[in-house]
């Protein structure tokens, strides 16, 4: 886990309030009654300066949509995204472009996110040009310095993306994101497309660069081990909603939401002795459709602790510890399962 900055008394770098993103399918002209797909449904959270927040959940829970909507790559349906107090939702396109250098994204697939017709010097140099006005020689030295930060060299300047391995391409993506000296990076499954042998190298690189630069980060992943390694706090999403958020070690040691408990119990345990004595919590059925979410608690159709009251109203995040919040009406009745 990173060394979290001392944020006492400081203001959030990013504040998200009741953010929603809905998609419509089919023809709205001929089938106006089709319900929207609620990919993200009224979520709220903050990211402090220098903080790494992990975002986890099953495939289809809305993690990637959150990341892209924060950066205005997808236009939100409703809600607020305040970056240093400025609402990105109502900002003009010109203002969004001006702020883009302060908010960068590392995509899951490095090959598709890099311009195949551009050489490395151009790919990294474009970011350098956004924040500085350098001569050609100075610009090249700055690009080389960025490459060296991600363990590449000047020999790579005139190569194209297809001439690199997957791990090297992701290093290029990281260098491109850092070239503009951003304040916030959204890392969307940055090592999921890489071999396991390369994942550790890239994760160590990301963690080292984050500590060095102090950049804030939203780290999206389905790999709980990676999130535990790098994040200061963790958010758990289910069906477009945040069901639990808290400090990393507190959430992993005493998960309070039944869905978080199920996720952690399903995570691989490298120690055979700990694995043998560990209870598994299996969930029944499949996640409901985001076009027709259940009433009340979205998790109630799969929750082993659900009661009739869970269908009556949507639970809101409730404080259960220091900076630890859970959306469950039975949170004080359910004994936390110690899984760490």
């Amino acid at each position: 886990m990173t060394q979290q900055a001392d944020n006492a008394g400081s203001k959030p770098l990013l504040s998200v309030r009741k953010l929603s993103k809905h998609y419509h399918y089919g023809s709205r002209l001929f089938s106006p009654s089709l319900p929207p797909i609620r990919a993200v449904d009224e979520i709220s959270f903050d990211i402090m300066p220098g903080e790494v927040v992990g975002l986890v959940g099953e495939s289809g829970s809305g993690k990637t949509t959150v990341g892209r909507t924060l950066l205005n790559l997808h236009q939100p349906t409703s809600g607020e995204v305040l970056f240093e107090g400025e609402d990105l939702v109502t900002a003009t396109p010109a203002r969004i472009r001006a702020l883009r250098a302060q908010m960068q994204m590392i995509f899951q697939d490095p090959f598709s996110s890099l311009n195949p017709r551009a050489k490395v010097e151009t790919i990294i140099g474009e970011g350098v040009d956004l924040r500085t006005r350098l001569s050609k020689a100075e610009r090249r030295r700055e690009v080389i310095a960025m490459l060296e930060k991600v363990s590449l060299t000047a020999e790579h300047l005139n190569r194209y993306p297809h001439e690199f391995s997957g791990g090297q391409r992701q290093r290029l993506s990281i260098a491109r994101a850092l070239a503009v000296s951003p304040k916030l990076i959204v890392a969307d499954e940055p090592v999921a497309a890489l071999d396991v042998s390369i994942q550790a190298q890239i994760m160590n690189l990301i963690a080292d660069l984050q500590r060095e630069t102090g950049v804030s980060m939203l780290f999206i992943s389905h790999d709980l081990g990676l999130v535990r390694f790098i994040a200061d706090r963790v958010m758990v999403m289910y069906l477009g909603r945040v069901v639990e958020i808290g400090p990393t070690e507190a959430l992993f040691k005493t998960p309070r939401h039944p869905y978080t408990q199920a996720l952690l119990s399903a995570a691989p345990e490298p120690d055979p002795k700990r694995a043998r004595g560990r209870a598994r919590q299996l969930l029944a059925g499949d996640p409901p459709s985001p076009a027709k979410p259940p009433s009340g608690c979205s998790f109630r159709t799969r929750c082993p602790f659900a009661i009739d009251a869970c269908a009556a109203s949507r639970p809101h995040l409730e404080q259960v510890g220091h900076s630890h919040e859970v959306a469950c009406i039975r949170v004080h009745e359910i004994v936390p399962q110690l899984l760490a």
Side-chain angles (χ1 to χ4, degrees):
M1 188 173 68
T2 62
Q3 182 64 41
Q4 185 176 0
D6 182 6
N7 291 314
S10 62
K11 295 181 179 180
L13 176 71
L14 185 79
S15 290
V16 178
R17 295 292 178 266
K18 293 188 176 181
L19 180 68
S20 295
K21 178 59 182 176
H22 301 167
Y23 295 97
H24 293 271
Y25 61 99
S27 171
R28 298 183 68 180
L29 177 63
F30 297 104
S31 303
S33 61
L34 288 176
I37 296 174
R38 299 174 180 271
V40 179
D41 197 11
E42 293 191 355
I43 69 170
S44 299
F45 64 93
D46 293 330
I47 298 180
M48 305 301 291
E51 183 182 34
V52 179
V53 175
L55 180 57
V56 301
E58 292 174 288
S59 296
S61 60
K63 304 187 301 297
T64 292
T65 303
V66 169
R68 291 174 180 252
T69 305
L70 292 184
L71 301 188
N72 222 264
L73 298 177
H74 293 173
Q75 183 65 31
T77 301
S78 62
E80 294 180 334
V81 179
L82 303 176
F83 181 77
E84 295 188 319
E86 186 171 355
D87 192 356
L88 303 181
V89 176
T90 58
T92 64
R95 184 55 183 158
I96 292 294
R97 285 193 297 271
L99 291 171
R100 190 73 73 192
Q102 300 183 48
M103 304 175 293
Q104 289 291 297
M105 189 161 190
I106 301 173
F107 294 90
Q108 178 176 343
D109 182 3
F111 189 68
S112 63
S113 66
L114 297 172
N115 185 347
R117 295 189 177 93
K119 294 181 179 180
V120 167
E121 185 171 2
T122 300
I123 292 173
I124 308 300
E126 288 176 344
V128 174
D129 291 340
L130 285 175
R131 62 178 174 84
T132 60
R133 292 294 180 266
L134 302 176
S135 67
K136 186 174 181 180
E138 291 172 330
R139 179 180 185 264
R140 171 166 286 200
R141 285 195 293 270
E142 184 73 11
V143 171
I144 292 172
M146 293 304 307
L147 289 176
E148 291 175 346
K149 284 186 177 182
V150 296
S151 301
L152 296 175
T153 68
E155 296 178 0
H156 299 109
L157 281 174
N158 292 314
R159 296 186 187 180
Y160 292 93
H162 72 270
E163 298 179 87
F164 293 90
S165 67
Q168 288 175 320
R169 283 195 289 265
Q170 196 59 289
R171 291 174 187 270
L172 285 177
S173 297
I174 295 169
R176 180 184 61 180
L178 291 173
V180 295
S181 297
K183 295 181 179 179
L184 173 69
I185 289 179
V186 175
D188 183 15
E189 302 272 12
V191 299
L194 305 178
D195 293 337
V196 174
S197 59
I198 305 299
Q199 288 184 2
Q201 298 176 22
I202 300 300
M203 285 302 302
N204 285 327
L205 173 64
I206 292 173
D208 290 343
L209 290 174
Q210 192 279 328
R211 283 192 292 265
E212 178 186 332
T213 63
V215 64
S216 299
M217 184 178 296
L218 179 68
F219 187 88
I220 302 170
S221 181
H222 64 274
D223 190 319
L224 297 172
L226 298 182
V227 171
R228 189 172 191 176
F229 167 73
I230 199 170
D232 299 304
R233 287 190 300 135
V234 179
M235 287 193 300
V236 182
M237 282 191 72
Y238 181 80
L239 208 65
R241 301 177 182 177
V242 174
V243 297
E244 184 166 2
I245 180 169
T248 300
E249 288 308 308
L251 186 140
F252 273 80
K253 289 180 179 179
T254 55
R256 302 297 299 271
H257 195 282
Y259 178 61
T260 309
Q261 294 174 3
L263 279 183
L264 294 179
S265 72
E269 173 54 66
D271 186 343
K273 293 182 180 179
R274 293 177 63 181
R276 281 196 295 269
R278 182 173 165 184
R280 293 292 300 274
Q281 183 177 326
L282 301 178
L283 298 178
D286 297 318
S289 168
K292 295 182 179 179
S295 63
C297 176
S298 58
F299 184 61
R300 66 178 177 81
T301 57
R302 303 174 72 195
C303 180
F305 305 104
I307 57 178
D308 291 342
C310 295
S313 61
R314 174 176 174 174
H316 298 286
L317 289 169
E318 177 184 351
Q319 197 88 10
V320 295
H322 177 66
S323 300
H324 196 162
E325 298 175 284
V326 179
C328 176
I329 64 171
R330 302 195 66 194
V331 64
H332 297 294
E333 304 173 45
I334 300 171
V335 177
Q337 299 181 20
L338 302 181
L339 300 170

